[in-house]
Amino acid sequence: MTEENVFPDILKNHMAPKNKLGYLVVRKGELNYVWEDEEDKVYTVDSNHPLVIYPERYHRVILTGAVEFKVEFYRYDDEIIVDKTALRPGENFIK
């Protein structure tokens, strides 16, 4: 996608589906990205800094100029976690 043919819904508040991760990759230029639950933090995504989009978390893309980018989606199954009761230090820092 580019700034000229971007899907309009990407620029609105939306979320990735359950059990799918998005991977935002910028080929040329840069754009901004905001998690709706952290509106005071704006992430700049460029060719050196892709971004993982977590499922079921509201977000939006903000175009800042000429850009070429894509979003890849990857399905994962949370049932593959062998021991859901295992100790996972730092887990409470993850939102």
Side-chain angles (χ1 to χ4, degrees), residues 14-75:
H14 68 285
M15 66 172 66
K18 184 176 182 178
N19 293 339
K20 288 189 181 177
L21 291 169
Y23 189 58
L24 179 57
V25 179
V26 173
R27 293 183 177 153
K28 295 179 185 173
E30 66 181 30
L31 54 78
N32 287 337
Y33 183 94
V34 174
W35 292 109
E36 294 296 337
D37 58 351
E38 295 181 341
E39 287 195 55
D40 57 327
K41 293 182 184 177
V42 177
Y43 298 90
T44 300
V45 184
D46 62 25
S47 60
N48 294 315
H49 302 95
L51 186 122
V52 174
I53 302 169
Y54 301 104
E56 298 189 85
R57 186 172 176 198
Y58 282 108
H59 61 276
R60 71 181 183 276
V61 169
I62 302 168
L63 300 181
T64 58
V67 66
E68 182 181 329
F69 68 101
K70 66 179 178 174
V71 181
E72 300 172 354
F73 288 97
Y74 298 91
R75 179 177 293 278

Side-chain angles (χ1 to χ4, degrees), residues 76-84:
Y76 73 95
D77 184 359
D78 60 2
E79 296 299 317
I80 63 172
I81 299 172
V82 177
D83 186 355
K84 293 184 180 186

Side-chain angles (χ1 to χ4, degrees), residues 87-95:
L87 180 63
R88 291 178 173 85
E91 186 172 16
N92 56 340
F93 295 107
I94 301 171
K95 294 184 178 184

